[in-house]
Amino acid sequence: MKTTTSLAILSAAALAASVHAAPAAPAVKPAVPASQAVQIEASHLSHDVKVLSSDDFEGRGPNTPGEAKTVAYLINQFEAAGLKPGGDLVNGKRGWTQDVPLGRFEIKGPVVVSVKGGGKDETLTQGEQIAVRAAMNGARSVEFKDAPLVFVGYGVTAPERKWDDFKGQDLKGKLAVVLINDPDFETGKGEFGGKAMTYYGRWTYKFEELARRGALGTLIVHESAPASYGWATVKNSNTNVMYDVVRTHPSAFHAPVEGWIQRDVAIDLFRRAGLDFDKLKKSAQTRSFKPVELSGVAMSGKYAVDAQTIVSKNVIALREGSQHPDQYVVYSGHWDHLGIGLPDAKGDRIYNGAVDNATGIAALLELARVYAAAPAPQRSVVFLAVTAEEKGLLGSEYYASNPVYPLAKTVGVINMDALSPFGRARDFTISGSAKLDLLDRLVAKAKVAKLSYSPDPKPEAGHFFRSDHFPFAKRGVPAISFGSGEHWEQGGVAAGKKESDRYTLENYHQPSDEWRPEWTFEGMARDLGILYAVGRELADSNAWPNWAKDSEFRAARDQSSSERK
């Protein structure tokens, strides 16, 4: 664990007041009418990121002292800015938070996993060769012996594409070995949209599909390119404490065993069964693929699980509308990160989460300050800081399932996740490639600031399904997750892409994601001016943006159209 001097937290009142004071350069004035002029301070963004990602906040893990500090800090800042509590009703009055009941699951003691076959027995090392998650089906222990392994390709059942990787295979009592991403990831063309990942490619889908099919468990083969991240991310995200929304029938969503294995381990297991991994992988990219059992290879495992129910918090602040307070524009971001976990090579166990996602929360706080300092909007504006994004978008999923403010009356959601703390870029992006009016508005405002829209540079990474706008989108609410551009003013695309790739490799979901004094936050401040302008325009209008007519989310939105008349 690192030893650092405790950070003195700037007084919330002083920080809120500084919005009105002469700005410390650089500051940004969003493109809004002069009567609504506000300034976005890069210094505020830097300060909030520095505080929230300090060791004092212990990686902001849900249900930890780090959560308590984070929630208190957010409430303090929102209150000092002059916003109203926007959370659950408590004795007839709104509080600052929404209770989010979660199942908490943690492996206790050693993880013993072994494989045999091909004339040898081998024990696999947790975190190095295999990353087993704590069981989330309510079991207090997991134990299996000599379980057969079956390769099920990409583990996809897609009737609309006439695709079935299972072909009636009985998986009860068996471990399914499955590939990450979609069948057409490598070829770039096919039934699943080429490079752009569909939901079938996400690990969440694969775990759930194998649970639905009654498998003993799922082992996802990790490969960095189709996963879009390295093994360090897999290890750190899956060997930590796990969370899930509280479910009536958890076994319908989670098999007893859920985990990942290294590609080299998979190749070895296939070889022991007399199989060629690469040939079978190529076969799995075709509609005619059939499951293949790894004959003579079996796996055994044993580990204890501490399963309990906890209550985490979404933090919600409100800038009440002057004319249509029952209509809502939402800004969101997740306050959580991975907390304290396995040590890195330097022995550091605190996953500080500076870029992911102290930047998004700093952005949320600064937007809240400028909205509070400006004249009241006609519609209400909600600032939603959600929990447990890192555990599967659980805080946003809970809010979307139990909305404090009706989804039918929610104009749109602008989510902010892992923004660039560097200088300005000439472009911006969003997660995924969805077509919706909200993006058109964003493109128009950005054009005024001489920014261009660049489509998601890594659609194969499935970012659309990995950010907190998704639970809203799948329920029809127009929602985007804003992303910083890679075409930097200083250094161009080469510099921006180099830094993005470096962050993914060296810092993403690792203890090294820490605040850095050389970060200027100039680009982020400029971008927030654009996000303010888009949200403010919606908040001062009677417009109801929608999805494109051919969007899979359009029907869900249209079903509630009568509630917006």
Side-chain angles (χ1 to χ4, degrees), residues 486 488 491-506:
E486 290 188 353
W488 287 7
V493 175
K497 188 177 187 307
K498 181 179 179 181
E499 174 54 33
S500 176
D501 291 344
R502 185 207 63 77
Y503 172 78
T504 300
L505 178 65
E506 299 178 9

Side-chain angles (χ1 to χ4, degrees), residues 97-166:
T97 62
Q98 178 188 35
D99 283 352
V100 181
L102 298 173
R104 179 190 185 278
F105 311 93
E106 182 178 12
I107 291 177
K108 290 295 186 181
V111 174
V112 180
V113 177
S114 62
V115 292
K116 68 179 184 180
K120 66 175 181 177
D121 294 358
E122 180 184 6
T123 298
L124 301 182
T125 303
Q126 168 77 330
E128 299 305 321
Q129 296 163 296
I130 191 169
V132 176
R133 296 151 60 98
M136 289 188 278
N137 63 346
R140 301 287 175 169
S141 64
V142 175
E143 185 171 4
F144 54 97
K145 186 172 179 59
D146 296 336
L149 276 64
V150 180
F151 178 56
V152 296
Y154 287 86
V156 173
T157 299
E160 76 283 1
R161 291 171 166 87
K162 298 180 180 178
W163 195 283
D164 176 20
D165 281 334
F166 299 98

Side-chain angles (χ1 to χ4, degrees), residues 86-99:
D88 288 336
L89 288 170
V90 180
N91 297 324
K93 294 183 179 180
R94 293 273 177 211
W96 285 104
T97 62
Q98 178 188 35
D99 283 352

Side-chain angles (χ1 to χ4, degrees), residues 442-492:
L442 182 56
V443 169
K445 290 295 182 186
K447 187 175 182 180
V448 174
K450 299 182 179 180
L451 263 76
S452 62
Y453 166 59
S454 294
D456 188 340
K458 296 179 180 178
E460 68 274 16
H463 289 124
F464 187 85
F465 314 107
R466 292 166 57 182
S467 290
D468 286 305
H469 72 295
F470 180 59
F472 293 93
K474 69 183 182 180
R475 291 171 172 85
V477 179
I480 56 174
S481 190
F482 181 86
S484 305
E486 290 188 353
H487 186 177
W488 287 7
E489 290 185 1
Q490 302 296 320

Side-chain angles (χ1 to χ4, degrees), residues 66-307:
E67 165 166 359
K69 289 184 178 182
T70 303
V71 169
Y73 184 80
L74 297 180
I75 293 173
N76 199 314
Q77 298 301 315
F78 284 138
E79 189 171 26
L83 297 175
K84 291 184 177 181
D88 288 336
L89 288 170
V90 180
N91 297 324
K93 294 183 179 180
R94 293 273 177 211
W96 285 104
T97 62
Q98 178 188 35
D99 283 352
V100 181
L102 298 173
R104 179 190 185 278
F105 311 93
E106 182 178 12
I107 291 177
K108 290 295 186 181
V111 174
V112 180
V113 177
S114 62
V115 292
K116 68 179 184 180
K120 66 175 181 177
D121 294 358
E122 180 184 6
T123 298
L124 301 182
T125 303
Q126 168 77 330
E128 299 305 321
Q129 296 163 296
I130 191 169
V132 176
R133 296 151 60 98
M136 289 188 278
N137 63 346
R140 301 287 175 169
S141 64
V142 175
E143 185 171 4
F144 54 97
K145 186 172 179 59
D146 296 336
L149 276 64
V150 180
F151 178 56
V152 296
Y154 287 86
V156 173
T157 299
E160 76 283 1
R161 291 171 166 87
K162 298 180 180 178
W163 195 283
D164 176 20
D165 281 334
F166 299 98
K167 307 295 194 300
Q169 173 72 46
D170 182 6
L171 292 169
K172 291 181 180 178
K174 301 175 183 178
L175 293 171
V177 180
V178 64
L179 300 168
I180 192 62
N181 214 306
D182 292 319
D184 54 8
F185 167 77
E186 291 191 348
T187 63
K189 57 182 179 180
E191 299 296 329
F192 294 84
K195 283 290 186 181
M197 183 190 286
T198 69
Y199 191 56
Y200 296 116
R202 283 287 287 150
W203 56 264
T204 48
Y205 166 81
K206 297 174 193 294
F207 282 148
E208 289 178 3
E209 180 64 24
L210 271 300
R212 285 190 286 267
R213 291 181 172 274
L216 169 64
T218 307
L219 297 175
I220 298 175
V221 180
H222 173 260
E223 294 181 281
S224 294
S228 81
Y229 37 71
W231 179 258
T233 299
V234 171
K235 176 180 72 174
N236 297 335
S237 300
N238 290 274
T239 60
N240 211 321
V241 178
M242 305 307 299
Y243 292 87
D244 194 16
V245 294
V246 176
R247 302 183 188 274
T248 304
H249 302 291
S251 59
F253 296 87
H254 297 286
V257 181
E258 295 177 333
W260 295 64
I261 56 174
Q262 288 266 30
R263 182 178 188 274
D264 289 346
V265 174
I267 289 174
D268 179 60
L269 294 178
F270 278 58
R271 187 181 296 122
R272 294 192 202 188
L275 302 171
D276 185 308
F277 174 81
D278 289 322
K279 285 184 178 180
L280 281 174
K281 180 181 177 182
K282 195 168 188 64
S283 173
Q285 295 165 4
T286 66
R287 187 180 272 113
S288 60
F289 168 81
K290 294 180 180 180
V292 178
E293 186 162 341
L294 278 64
S295 299
V297 177
M299 181 175 287
S300 301
K302 183 178 181 180
Y303 43 93
V305 179
D306 176 38

